[in-house]
Amino acid sequence: MSQEQLKHDVDAYVDEIWEDAVEDIRTLVKIESVEDLEHAEPGKPWGPASNEALVAAEKIASRLGLSVTDLDGYIGYADLPGERATCVATIAHTDIVPLGLGWTFPALDVTRKDGYLIGRGVLDDKGPFILSLYAAHFFARQVEATGKKLPYTLRCIIGNNEETSMGDVPVYLERCGEPAFCFSPDADFPLICGEKGVYQGEFRSNEAIAGPVLAELDGGTVANAIPGLATALVRADAAALPAAGRIEVEPAGDGLTRVSAHGKGGHASLPAGTVNAIGLLARYLLANGLVDETNRAFVELQAALTEDTDGTHTGLAAHDEKFGPLTCIAGTVRTVDGHFVQTIDSRYPTSTTGEAITARMSELGAAHGCAYRALEDKVPFYIDPARPEIEALLSTYNEYTGEKAEAFCIGGGTYARKFKRACAFGPHVNRDDEPAWVGMEHGPDEGVSEADLKRALKIYIVSIARLMELGLEEG
């Protein structure tokens, strides 16, 4: 088939199936598939809601003519068998981050407005996952019509634990091995060939320091997101506390006042334009005498951690040519048995290490009466953009957009880092003209352009066709 005929067929296919694809996205968005280890059980290792989304995704894949395998609820995959068992794969995920606050659209449904889809997961990553299934469905229909198999098996891996530990991929690799090549539709176009190191850590106050003035701190939803809301319970007269921008003060009964700071949330790897609610709250508490001598140092630590997002103030700053600057954000704060616990999330380049971050944060914690421990450290990932697989994907993107874009590196962590030969490939496009009411991934009113998704589906189908023509290495 000529390239012109392929693209013509792809255009017609996408127009034909689009409404079905949107409804399948809606089916998954309605499931609040947040990891819930407290209620995990055999066959549902990430919790019942995550498993519900995995099963729903597998049913959609089966309906679209793919052969489905479930690996004990950890992860699944859907195959279109080829002439060889060697796999060209996609991997997307059906789990989500917690909904969080600040939504103006229903979080667990798909709202269509002015050419956009809004709902938790439409961009990260239930919408793109559905695109991967429909890309495979295009080839399944071709195989059915012609009787000719693809050169390689086309596999859609159905992730179910990306937003937390990515504990699903080791299970997949142990049982199935490496694909010849894999791309993840869980990022930005044009193409991501490298990812910064992903590091998380936790400060815990050495002493129980919820005290006579500051009784409780609570903020954020997950460690890898800038918090949009943080609250404190203080023993003070609400009427006597001054007004301040982004701060809300209200009586909470029994001599307590609730102080709430309203920031602007977003993904930890993209802190530009966000406002960290924990930092807002810490500065308000310090400025208005709402801390005790027992917990002043901890609140000052919070202020220091949120002074910037590149680690300059805390001595973490680092930079390299491939990955650019380090980022570091304060993600969540909790009150646990009278102790305050604060998490951080850092995305780091090759010019520093997780060990160096741990050493510096341990020093900072000790200076503020806290113990510190590292929770996670994933080293930076990079694949040579000159590889033929990368060139095939990128050239397809450029053909559809008229751009001369090049592969780039990000601070986010995708499934690509878990494989030997992989990359992250769209579908999000950064737009200067995007409406203000369209939210970011991990934030309220998460949204994505339908036109961008439709074009992404076309790019994925044509890219897969071109990957099938390459002489790929065995997994």
Side-chain angles (χ1 to χ4, degrees), residues 80 100 148 157 170 217 267 314 341 347 352 421 450 455-456 465:
L80 178 61
K148 183 178 180 180
I157 304 173
L217 290 171
H267 196 287
T314 53
V341 179
R347 310 302 168 105
T352 189
R421 295 178 294 277
E450 281 195 68
R455 183 175 65 180

Side-chain angles (χ1 to χ4, degrees), residues 116-119 122-123 428 434 438-441 445-449:
Y116 283 81
L117 304 180
I118 307 292
V122 293
L123 176 58
H428 183 245
E434 194 156 78
V438 177
M440 303 165 59
E441 63 183 43
D445 296 336
E446 175 185 340
V448 64
S449 160

Side-chain angles (χ1 to χ4, degrees), residues 24 27-28 55-65 130 133-134:
D24 285 334
T27 294
L28 295 184
V55 171
E58 291 170 346
K59 288 180 178 177
I60 294 169
S62 181
R63 194 194 80 228
L64 294 177
I130 291 297
L133 293 187
Y134 275 90

Side-chain angles (χ1 to χ4, degrees), residues 2-43:
S2 70
Q3 290 294 306
E4 292 75 14
Q5 185 62 51
L6 172 61
K7 290 182 178 180
H8 177 272
D9 291 350
V10 169
D11 287 346
Y13 170 77
V14 172
D15 287 342
E16 175 193 341
I17 58 84
W18 188 249
E19 292 305 317
D20 291 337
V22 172
E23 286 308 305
D24 285 334
I25 295 171
R26 188 189 310 277
T27 294
L28 295 184
V29 169
K30 286 185 174 181
I31 302 169
E32 194 172 354
S33 48
V34 177
E35 182 189 76
D36 179 10
L37 298 183
E38 184 179 348
H39 296 97
E41 59 182 274

Side-chain angles (χ1 to χ4, degrees), residues 151-455:
Y152 304 101
T153 293
L154 176 56
R155 174 167 293 177
C156 300
I157 304 173
I158 310 169
N160 201 225
N161 188 234
E162 194 271 351
E163 294 293 5
T164 51
S165 67
M166 295 191 192
D168 47 356
V169 176
V171 175
Y172 174 85
L173 292 174
E174 180 182 353
R175 300 191 191 182
C176 304
E178 289 274 353
F181 181 74
C182 178
F183 73 81
S184 180
D186 183 21
D188 290 344
F189 277 135
L191 185 145
I192 293 163
C193 63
E195 302 175 6
K196 290 179 182 176
V198 178
Y199 177 96
Q200 291 183 356
E202 176 186 273
F203 296 92
R204 179 184 173 91
S205 61
N206 289 325
E207 305 296 334
I209 58 175
V213 178
L214 177 57
E216 180 180 298
L217 290 171
D218 185 80
T221 54
V222 289
N224 64 345
I226 290 93
L229 176 67
T231 64
L233 280 179
V234 297
R235 292 179 177 86
D237 180 4
L241 294 178
R246 295 183 174 269
I247 298 293
E248 180 183 2
V249 177
E250 58 183 348
D254 297 326
L256 294 170
T257 290
R258 185 180 305 278
V259 180
S260 301
H262 299 273
K264 182 179 180 182
H267 196 287
S269 68
L270 298 168
T274 63
V275 178
N276 194 309
I278 288 174
L280 292 174
L281 181 64
R283 289 172 178 81
Y284 183 88
L285 297 176
L286 290 167
N288 292 282
L290 298 174
V291 294
D292 320 311
E293 286 309 307
T294 56
N295 50 46
R296 175 180 295 278
F298 185 89
V299 179
E300 289 175 343
L301 169 65
Q302 292 183 299
L305 292 171
T306 55
E307 186 68 27
D308 53 46
T309 59
D310 67 359
T312 297
H313 191 75
T314 53
L316 290 182
H319 182 282
D320 71 15
E321 290 186 1
K322 286 180 181 177
F323 292 102
L326 171 148
T327 62
C328 185
I329 64 100
T332 63
V333 63
R334 299 286 184 260
T335 305
V336 182
D337 298 327
H339 295 259
F340 293 149
V341 179
Q342 173 70 58
T343 64
I344 64 163
D345 181 294
S346 179
R347 310 302 168 105
Y348 65 91
T350 56
S351 54
T352 189
T353 65
E355 291 82 1
I357 297 173
T358 297
R360 176 62 192 130
M361 291 296 96
S362 296
E363 293 174 356
L364 190 65
H368 290 81
C370 295
Y372 180 79
R373 64 183 180 121
L375 300 176
E376 176 182 66
D377 182 17
K378 300 174 183 175
V379 300
F381 160 80
Y382 189 77
I383 185 171
D384 185 353
R387 286 187 66 97
E389 302 97 320
I390 303 300
E391 290 182 342
L393 301 187
L394 190 55
S395 65
T396 304
Y397 171 82
N398 284 334
E399 286 177 27
Y400 270 92
T401 63
E403 299 178 20
K404 295 181 180 179
E406 298 180 352
F408 66 104
C409 299
I410 63 166
T414 76
Y415 275 136
R417 68 170 59 242
K418 291 291 188 177
F419 297 87
K420 293 178 181 177
R421 295 178 294 277
C423 69
F425 189 41
H428 183 245
V429 177
N430 290 307
R431 293 187 172 278
D432 293 334
D433 61 349
E434 194 156 78
W437 46 264
V438 177
M440 303 165 59
E441 63 183 43
H442 289 203
D445 296 336
E446 175 185 340
V448 64
S449 160
E450 281 195 68
D452 286 350
L453 286 184
K454 292 178 78 171
R455 183 175 65 180

